[in-house]
Amino acid sequence: IKPILRKNPDTLSAASREAVQLFRLMAKEVPRVSNLYDVPMKKSEMRRRLANAFRKNADVKDPRVVHLMVRCTLKHFFFEEF
C-alpha cells in the first residue's frame, strides 16, 4: 500500500493528487460500509453522494488547506493517527 500523505505538498497538483487518492480509497470502502452499517441506499447512490461531498470543496486552492482536509478526513474515516 502506497502512503497517501506526503509531509507537506508544495503544489496544488500534489495536494489534489492526495484528495483523488482519498476519494478512490473511500469509494472502494462503500460496499463494506454499506454492509457494516446496513445503509438503506444503493451503492451507486452512496458513491454519488461521496463524489458530491468532494466536489463541494473543489474551490479550495491552497495546497496546505487541501492537505489538512485530507489528513483530517483520513483521521476520522479510519480512526487512526496520520
Side-chain angles (χ1 to χ4, degrees):
I1 298 175
K2 294 189 302 187
I4 290 179
L5 293 177
R6 295 172 41 138
K7 294 251 181 193
N8 278 325
D10 35 345
T11 63
L12 183 59
S13 64
S16 297
R17 198 172 315 117
E18 287 180 355
V20 170
Q21 288 175 334
L22 174 64
F23 172 76
R24 288 179 180 159
L25 179 68
M26 292 178 77
K28 287 179 185 177
E29 293 294 321
V30 163
R32 188 177 69 84
V33 170
S34 177
N35 291 334
L36 186 65
Y37 296 106
D38 197 28
V39 179
M41 187 184 309
K42 291 183 179 180
K43 291 173 182 67
S44 60
E45 174 69 18
M46 291 177 69
R47 285 190 188 95
R48 186 170 57 244
R49 289 189 182 198
L50 176 65
N52 287 338
F54 271 78
R55 285 188 193 109
K56 284 182 185 177
N57 296 306
D59 59 333
V60 178
K61 301 298 181 194
D62 187 352
R64 295 171 298 176
V65 175
V66 174
H67 179 73
L68 181 65
M69 293 170 73
V70 169
R71 185 179 185 93
C72 289
T73 303
L74 279 170
K75 183 178 179 180
H76 292 309
F77 189 69
F78 293 105
F79 306 107
E80 297 176 2
E81 279 294 323
F82 279 91

